[in-house]
Amino acid sequence: MNTINNNFIPDLSVDIAGMHLKNPIMTASGTFGYGEEFKDVVDLNLLGAIIVKGLSLAPAPGNKPPRIVETACGMLNAIGLENVGIEAFVRDKLPFLKKLSTPMVANIYGKTIDEYVGLAARIDDVDGISAIEVNISCPNVKAGGVAFGVDPRSVYQVVSAVRKASQKPLIIKLSPNVSDIATIAQRAEEGGADALSLINTITGMAIDIHTRKPKLANITGGLSGPAIKPIALRMVWQAVNAVKIPVIGIGGIVSAEDALEFFIAGASAVQIGTANFMNPSATIEILEGLTRYLKSNNMATLRNLYGTLVL
Amino acid sequence: MIQSDADILWNRKLGPMYFHLGLSLRGFEQAVPGQFITLRAQRQQSPLLRRPFSIHRLIQADNRVQGIEILYRTAGDCTRYLSTLAPGEKVNILGPLGNGFSLPDSGRIFLVAGGIGVAPMVFLAETLRQKSHPSEITIFLGGRTQTDLLCQKAFLDLGLRLELSTDDGSTGHQGLVTDLLKKHLTETKAHGIYACGPMPMLAAVAGLARSHAVPCQVSIETIMACGMGVCLGCALDDQVITDKYRHVCIDGPVFDAATLKFDN
């Protein structure tokens, strides 16, 4: 007979990038707004961390529509990092987030190293921002973003420049659109990253066969959702083996089982992205699923599962 | 805004491609005409995203809102799957979402619907009917053929005036629904126009409203992923609207027609 010991509460907590998290469930930037949007359907205090929409120095209008298209088990987006800008974020969005017990991570992106440095310096002494996630991997912004993320030298340059500008923990968000993720991960670590997060979306494309036009105005976009999970898992595993700092897994996680695969591969936390669109309560349901898994396997702490891939 | 599983009360076929769905659901007391919900029925991962639907009607009993009704057309994998579900099965609902129609204090009202664009108009007509005399409300229904003209009985039961048009002339005026609207605007002073339907129809309605100086609101449909203002995928650009990058889910789906661009 299978007996489940319900007399203990499994420990899901994890220390990562200088933050103590109640659990390893984070929200992926760009899929959770500025947090407040979800307050009616998610108890935000239950989350491990909230990562907000990517912020730039000036407000950004984003790309022309159509910006999204659904594909098999996934979606392509080319939003173009539309956001309110760092000043409006600090003034209008941060006060709500500061009231939560959940740490908040500001995701930043620039078109030049100076812009990244400017953003990091601007929020370095701002209370309520527990860490900075540096997006060097967005595929949808021209003349920046991805250009930094695909070249190991520029990865080192941008990370070390941001490192000098900020005392806050730095999470570097990596692009999957590279041939050697291990080298990129190592350059980010050498530049001073406290943690890595990957993967961002995979550059993709869809065509309307009747008009023969791209389905996205931007022509190409970033593929996300369950379709990319095997690629994400492979790259997280490669990054874990290449660096000593913690790795945060992202890519197509819609269930606790998906998240568990990333932990076994060595991820210290995960981010939930497109699943928030499919099911706004996905983060909480995944959290509940993790607790059930630990209880049914009589495991006291989730950390004991990290990096236990059997080869 | 709530997210909840809802029991299907009924899922009736209304014609070749149209279905009427009744859902048992709490949390919609504050819903207003023009707002929408997103629905996910499938358990599998493709189709991936929720689908947006206008609130067609509220289900009321014992002075409480007990659920909502959805009117839908089978257009893709999601709605085809939805059409196979039976009473007692569940779907997941997020809503109410977006901004509804602003209602007038008094005066003659024209409602204009093209095809499945009639979906939000029954809730709107029922709400208007609480303040306005039925003779002051006219509903213009347009479609390709007579089976595309839905909800006629609901409007007649409310005592509204009904004007019908079809592309093939199988019912009512043969031609565009905006032909009828133009004729009535010329003959009668209207105080408000509310429209939902395909973009070319909305552009034509917006043009007529402007030339007759009648306030007009239109409900716009786009592809969207989240429905709640976080993915920013449902942006309208300056080919559609004067003030570019408005988001249908949180800035709409109802927009003042004065902000719409139109050709005629």
Side-chain angles (χ1 to χ4, degrees):
Chain A
M1 194 176 79
N2 232 348
T3 53
I4 296 176
N5 178 2
N6 278 311
N7 297 327
F8 73 100
I9 299 168
D11 178 10
L12 298 174
S13 70
V14 58
D15 291 299
I16 188 167
M19 297 182 288
H20 179 72
L21 309 183
K22 292 182 284 275
N23 62 68
I25 302 299
M26 305 173 157
T27 62
S29 179
T31 67
F32 212 70
Y34 303 101
E36 189 168 4
E37 294 90 337
F38 280 76
K39 71 178 190 304
D40 290 350
V41 291
V42 171
D43 182 347
L44 299 170
N45 285 317
L46 295 180
L47 298 173
I50 293 172
I51 306 185
V52 297
K53 175 76 183 166
L55 299 162
S56 49
L57 280 172
N63 289 334
K64 280 183 73 65
R67 293 176 170 187
I68 57 173
V69 58
E70 193 168 320
T71 57
C73 294
M75 63 179 282
L76 287 165
N77 87 78
I79 306 300
L81 291 167
E82 174 180 349
N83 80 100
V84 297
I86 192 70
E87 295 306 328
F89 171 76
V90 170
R91 185 183 65 237
D92 303 332
K93 309 292 184 184
L94 190 57
F96 171 83
L97 291 159
K98 277 170 81 167
K99 286 184 274 181
L100 303 174
S101 66
T102 298
M104 193 282 291
V105 178
N107 179 291
I108 62 168
Y109 81 93
K111 294 190 178 68
T112 63
I113 288 181
D114 284 349
E115 287 185 14
Y116 280 106
V117 168
L119 281 157
R122 171 65 185 84
I123 54 177
D124 187 38
D125 59 356
V126 174
D127 285 343
I129 299 175
S130 297
I132 299 174
E133 183 176 59
V134 185
N135 178 6
I136 58 169
S137 50
C138 181
N140 299 324
V141 179
K142 295 188 182 85
V146 76
F148 294 101
V150 297
D151 173 21
R153 280 167 304 181
S154 61
V155 168
Y156 177 82
Q157 285 170 356
V158 69
V159 174
S160 55
V162 173
R163 175 75 288 164
K164 290 187 188 80
S166 177
Q167 303 294 313
K168 289 195 191 289
L170 293 184
I171 301 166
I172 309 301
K173 187 167 181 177
L174 303 183
S175 169
N177 304 306
V178 299
S179 51
D180 180 6
I181 193 70
T183 303
I184 299 275
Q186 285 163 352
R187 291 299 95 83
E189 183 179 39
E190 287 160 16
D194 296 291
L196 304 176
S197 58
L198 67 154
I199 59 176
N200 205 322
T201 55
I202 301 170
T203 306
M205 188 170 170
I207 296 171
D208 183 321
I209 59 167
H210 303 293
T211 62
R212 297 186 217 166
K213 290 180 177 174
K215 287 188 178 176
L216 295 172
N218 192 55
I219 305 176
T220 60
L223 181 65
S224 66
I228 72 167
K229 197 194 76 178
I231 299 170
L233 194 59
R234 182 265 298 177
M235 296 188 109
V236 164
W237 180 68
Q238 289 176 323
V240 164
N241 288 325
V243 299
K244 294 184 181 66
I245 52 176
V247 172
I248 302 165
I250 324 167
I253 299 171
V254 303
S255 67
E257 288 75 14
D258 292 336
L260 287 162
E261 286 193 70
F262 281 84
F263 297 131
I264 293 167
S268 301
V270 293
Q271 294 180 14
I272 311 304
T274 300
N276 292 312
F277 304 154
M278 300 160 66
N279 172 16
S281 309
T283 46
I284 301 302
E285 290 177 14
I286 290 168
L287 202 50
E288 291 167 351
L290 291 180
T291 299
R292 270 198 307 275
Y293 173 86
L294 293 176
K295 283 189 169 190
S296 63
N297 287 283
N298 242 328
M299 293 173 68
T301 65
L302 181 63
R303 289 189 301 279
N304 289 347
L305 193 69
Y306 290 177
T308 55
L309 182 68
V310 178
L311 293 174
Chain B
M1 176 175 70
I2 59 117
Q3 185 192 358
S4 172
D5 280 344
D7 282 317
I8 295 176
L9 299 171
W10 68 81
N11 193 13
R12 293 182 198 126
K13 192 167 187 174
L14 294 184
M17 298 168 74
Y18 299 101
F19 286 80
H20 183 204
L21 177 68
L23 298 171
S24 173
L25 187 63
R26 291 293 167 89
F28 278 70
E29 278 76 14
Q30 305 301 319
V32 297
Q35 286 190 299
F36 69 102
I37 56 100
T38 63
L39 178 151
R40 184 173 168 86
Q42 68 278 13
R43 290 255 168 253
Q44 65 275 27
Q45 294 174 345
S46 203
L48 185 83
L49 298 170
R50 308 172 76 84
R51 293 290 186 271
F53 299 94
S54 292
I55 300 172
H56 176 54
R57 288 186 73 213
L58 299 181
I59 301 173
Q60 311 216 40
D62 306 327
N63 287 320
R64 285 205 56 168
V65 176
Q66 309 277 2
I68 59 171
E69 299 177 20
I70 304 295
L71 197 68
Y72 67 96
R73 184 167 67 93
T74 50
D77 291 343
C78 236
T79 41
R80 268 194 296 274
Y81 176 70
L82 181 60
S83 73
T84 66
L85 298 182
E89 295 190 83
K90 288 183 193 302
V91 294
N92 190 263
I93 300 295
L94 180 72
L97 300 167
N99 299 304
F101 295 103
S102 301
L103 304 184
D105 293 329
S106 62
R108 183 170 295 279
I109 308 295
F110 290 165
L111 310 183
V112 189
I116 193 63
V118 73
M121 291 301 173
V122 172
F123 188 12
L124 177 62
E126 287 175 339
T127 307
L128 288 169
R129 179 66 186 79
Q130 291 167 9
K131 281 206 287 190
S132 302
H133 192 272
S135 66
E136 294 202 303
I137 308 171
T138 304
I139 169 92
F140 299 82
L141 289 183
R144 278 164 305 196
T145 189
Q146 59 181 348
T147 51
D148 294 315
L149 304 181
L150 305 173
C151 309
Q152 294 180 49
K153 183 173 183 308
F155 293 119
L156 290 172
D157 287 350
L158 287 166
L160 310 193
R161 294 173 54 186
L162 204 52
E163 296 286 341
L164 306 177
S165 75
T166 51
D167 294 352
D168 64 2
S170 53
T171 298
H173 165 73
Q174 179 169 10
L176 299 173
V177 71
T178 45
D179 299 340
L180 294 174
L181 178 68
K182 187 175 187 178
K183 177 168 165 282
H184 280 250
L185 282 170
T186 309
E187 292 167 356
T188 324
K189 173 66 185 167
H191 296 86
I193 301 173
Y194 298 84
C196 184
M199 281 307 291
M201 184 202 95
L202 296 182
V205 171
L208 287 169
R210 183 174 297 192
S211 60
H212 289 85
V214 182
C216 176
Q217 295 165 50
V218 299
S219 175
I220 291 178
E221 184 178 43
T222 57
I223 184 170
M224 61 176 66
C226 73
M228 53 196 280
V230 304
C231 78
L232 309 176
C234 62
L236 298 176
D237 71 2
D238 49 10
Q239 299 196 342
V240 179
I241 206 151
T242 50
D243 183 11
K244 83 169 173 178
Y245 300 159
R246 307 285 300 285
H247 300 97
V248 171
C249 73
I250 48 167
D251 298 322
V254 175
F255 290 90
D256 183 338
T259 65
L260 275 192
K261 291 192 171 178
F262 54 93
D263 300 319
N264 47 330

PDB file of all heavy atoms in Angstrom, chain A residues 241-256:
ATOM      1  N   ASN A 241      26.158  22.570 -16.120  1.00  0.00           N
ATOM      2  CA  ASN A 241      27.442  21.871 -16.144  1.00  0.00           C
ATOM      3  C   ASN A 241      28.617  22.790 -16.445  1.00  0.00           C
ATOM      4  O   ASN A 241      29.771  22.388 -16.284  1.00  0.00           O
ATOM      5  CB  ASN A 241      27.394  20.739 -17.181  1.00  0.00           C
ATOM      6  CG  ASN A 241      26.517  19.598 -16.710  1.00  0.00           C
ATOM      7  OD1 ASN A 241      26.469  19.305 -15.514  1.00  0.00           O
ATOM      8  ND2 ASN A 241      25.803  18.980 -17.626  1.00  0.00           N
ATOM      9  N   ALA A 242      28.326  24.014 -16.904  1.00  0.00           N
ATOM     10  CA  ALA A 242      29.402  24.912 -17.326  1.00  0.00           C
ATOM     11  C   ALA A 242      29.778  25.943 -16.265  1.00  0.00           C
ATOM     12  O   ALA A 242      30.862  26.527 -16.339  1.00  0.00           O
ATOM     13  CB  ALA A 242      28.994  25.630 -18.620  1.00  0.00           C
ATOM     14  N   VAL A 243      28.878  26.206 -15.302  1.00  0.00           N
ATOM     15  CA  VAL A 243      29.118  27.296 -14.339  1.00  0.00           C
ATOM     16  C   VAL A 243      28.885  26.820 -12.912  1.00  0.00           C
ATOM     17  O   VAL A 243      28.274  25.765 -12.681  1.00  0.00           O
ATOM     18  CB  VAL A 243      28.204  28.517 -14.619  1.00  0.00           C
ATOM     19  CG1 VAL A 243      28.483  29.091 -16.010  1.00  0.00           C
ATOM     20  CG2 VAL A 243      26.725  28.135 -14.476  1.00  0.00           C
ATOM     21  N   LYS A 244      29.345  27.657 -11.953  1.00  0.00           N
ATOM     22  CA  LYS A 244      29.128  27.341 -10.535  1.00  0.00           C
ATOM     23  C   LYS A 244      27.941  28.106  -9.946  1.00  0.00           C
ATOM     24  O   LYS A 244      27.423  27.736  -8.894  1.00  0.00           O
ATOM     25  CB  LYS A 244      30.393  27.676  -9.734  1.00  0.00           C
ATOM     26  CG  LYS A 244      31.588  26.798 -10.082  1.00  0.00           C
ATOM     27  CD  LYS A 244      32.773  27.105  -9.179  1.00  0.00           C
ATOM     28  CE  LYS A 244      33.971  26.238  -9.564  1.00  0.00           C
ATOM     29  NZ  LYS A 244      34.486  26.578 -10.934  1.00  0.00           N
ATOM     30  N   ILE A 245      27.565  29.223 -10.592  1.00  0.00           N
ATOM     31  CA  ILE A 245      26.445  30.019 -10.072  1.00  0.00           C
ATOM     32  C   ILE A 245      25.114  29.324 -10.375  1.00  0.00           C
ATOM     33  O   ILE A 245      25.039  28.487 -11.285  1.00  0.00           O
ATOM     34  CB  ILE A 245      26.458  31.451 -10.685  1.00  0.00           C
ATOM     35  CG1 ILE A 245      26.539  31.388 -12.215  1.00  0.00           C
ATOM     36  CG2 ILE A 245      27.603  32.272 -10.104  1.00  0.00           C
ATOM     37  CD1 ILE A 245      26.467  32.732 -12.898  1.00  0.00           C
ATOM     38  N   PRO A 246      24.058  29.669  -9.627  1.00  0.00           N
ATOM     39  CA  PRO A 246      22.755  29.028  -9.858  1.00  0.00           C
ATOM     40  C   PRO A 246      22.182  29.352 -11.240  1.00  0.00           C
ATOM     41  O   PRO A 246      22.414  30.437 -11.783  1.00  0.00           O
ATOM     42  CB  PRO A 246      21.865  29.621  -8.764  1.00  0.00           C
ATOM     43  CG  PRO A 246      22.783  30.205  -7.757  1.00  0.00           C
ATOM     44  CD  PRO A 246      24.019  30.601  -8.489  1.00  0.00           C
ATOM     45  N   VAL A 247      21.446  28.402 -11.761  1.00  0.00           N
ATOM     46  CA  VAL A 247      20.783  28.558 -13.051  1.00  0.00           C
ATOM     47  C   VAL A 247      19.276  28.477 -12.831  1.00  0.00           C
ATOM     48  O   VAL A 247      18.796  27.581 -12.127  1.00  0.00           O
ATOM     49  CB  VAL A 247      21.248  27.469 -14.037  1.00  0.00           C
ATOM     50  CG1 VAL A 247      20.425  27.504 -15.318  1.00  0.00           C
ATOM     51  CG2 VAL A 247      22.738  27.641 -14.339  1.00  0.00           C
ATOM     52  N   ILE A 248      18.563  29.422 -13.433  1.00  0.00           N
ATOM     53  CA  ILE A 248      17.099  29.460 -13.347  1.00  0.00           C
ATOM     54  C   ILE A 248      16.554  28.983 -14.691  1.00  0.00           C
ATOM     55  O   ILE A 248      16.881  29.554 -15.735  1.00  0.00           O
ATOM     56  CB  ILE A 248      16.608  30.889 -13.035  1.00  0.00           C
ATOM     57  CG1 ILE A 248      17.232  31.375 -11.721  1.00  0.00           C
ATOM     58  CG2 ILE A 248      15.085  30.942 -12.983  1.00  0.00           C
ATOM     59  CD1 ILE A 248      17.104  32.889 -11.510  1.00  0.00           C
ATOM     60  N   GLY A 249      15.729  27.929 -14.646  1.00  0.00           N
ATOM     61  CA  GLY A 249      15.213  27.341 -15.882  1.00  0.00           C
ATOM     62  C   GLY A 249      13.946  28.022 -16.354  1.00  0.00           C
ATOM     63  O   GLY A 249      13.043  28.296 -15.567  1.00  0.00           O
ATOM     64  N   ILE A 250      13.887  28.284 -17.654  1.00  0.00           N
ATOM     65  CA  ILE A 250      12.707  28.907 -18.270  1.00  0.00           C
ATOM     66  C   ILE A 250      12.474  28.207 -19.609  1.00  0.00           C
ATOM     67  O   ILE A 250      13.437  27.934 -20.339  1.00  0.00           O
ATOM     68  CB  ILE A 250      12.900  30.396 -18.598  1.00  0.00           C
ATOM     69  CG1 ILE A 250      13.749  31.115 -17.557  1.00  0.00           C
ATOM     70  CG2 ILE A 250      11.573  31.101 -18.835  1.00  0.00           C
ATOM     71  CD1 ILE A 250      14.207  32.500 -18.020  1.00  0.00           C
ATOM     72  N   GLY A 251      11.217  27.984 -19.957  1.00  0.00           N
ATOM     73  CA  GLY A 251      10.917  27.478 -21.287  1.00  0.00           C
ATOM     74  C   GLY A 251       9.848  26.407 -21.289  1.00  0.00           C
ATOM     75  O   GLY A 251      10.125  25.244 -21.024  1.00  0.00           O
ATOM     76  N   GLY A 252       8.616  26.806 -21.550  1.00  0.00           N
ATOM     77  CA  GLY A 252       7.534  25.850 -21.760  1.00  0.00           C
ATOM     78  C   GLY A 252       7.056  25.119 -20.531  1.00  0.00           C
ATOM     79  O   GLY A 252       6.400  24.081 -20.642  1.00  0.00           O
ATOM     80  N   ILE A 253       7.339  25.641 -19.343  1.00  0.00           N
ATOM     81  CA  ILE A 253       6.894  24.969 -18.118  1.00  0.00           C
ATOM     82  C   ILE A 253       5.421  25.311 -17.861  1.00  0.00           C
ATOM     83  O   ILE A 253       5.084  26.472 -17.666  1.00  0.00           O
ATOM     84  CB  ILE A 253       7.750  25.399 -16.907  1.00  0.00           C
ATOM     85  CG1 ILE A 253       9.213  25.011 -17.143  1.00  0.00           C
ATOM     86  CG2 ILE A 253       7.211  24.761 -15.619  1.00  0.00           C
ATOM     87  CD1 ILE A 253      10.184  25.577 -16.111  1.00  0.00           C
ATOM     88  N   VAL A 254       4.568  24.288 -17.902  1.00  0.00           N
ATOM     89  CA  VAL A 254       3.145  24.518 -17.642  1.00  0.00           C
ATOM     90  C   VAL A 254       2.630  23.665 -16.476  1.00  0.00           C
ATOM     91  O   VAL A 254       1.486  23.808 -16.074  1.00  0.00           O
ATOM     92  CB  VAL A 254       2.267  24.270 -18.897  1.00  0.00           C
ATOM     93  CG1 VAL A 254       2.719  25.129 -20.062  1.00  0.00           C
ATOM     94  CG2 VAL A 254       2.266  22.805 -19.297  1.00  0.00           C
ATOM     95  N   SER A 255       3.467  22.764 -15.970  1.00  0.00           N
ATOM     96  CA  SER A 255       3.004  21.876 -14.895  1.00  0.00           C
ATOM     97  C   SER A 255       4.137  21.657 -13.897  1.00  0.00           C
ATOM     98  O   SER A 255       5.308  21.941 -14.181  1.00  0.00           O
ATOM     99  CB  SER A 255       2.584  20.524 -15.470  1.00  0.00           C
ATOM    100  OG  SER A 255       3.715  19.838 -15.984  1.00  0.00           O
ATOM    101  N   ALA A 256       3.791  21.087 -12.737  1.00  0.00           N
ATOM    102  CA  ALA A 256       4.804  20.748 -11.736  1.00  0.00           C
ATOM    103  C   ALA A 256       5.775  19.722 -12.315  1.00  0.00           C
ATOM    104  O   ALA A 256       6.980  19.787 -12.053  1.00  0.00           O
ATOM    105  CB  ALA A 256       4.124  20.206 -10.480  1.00  0.00           C
TER     106      ALA A 256
END
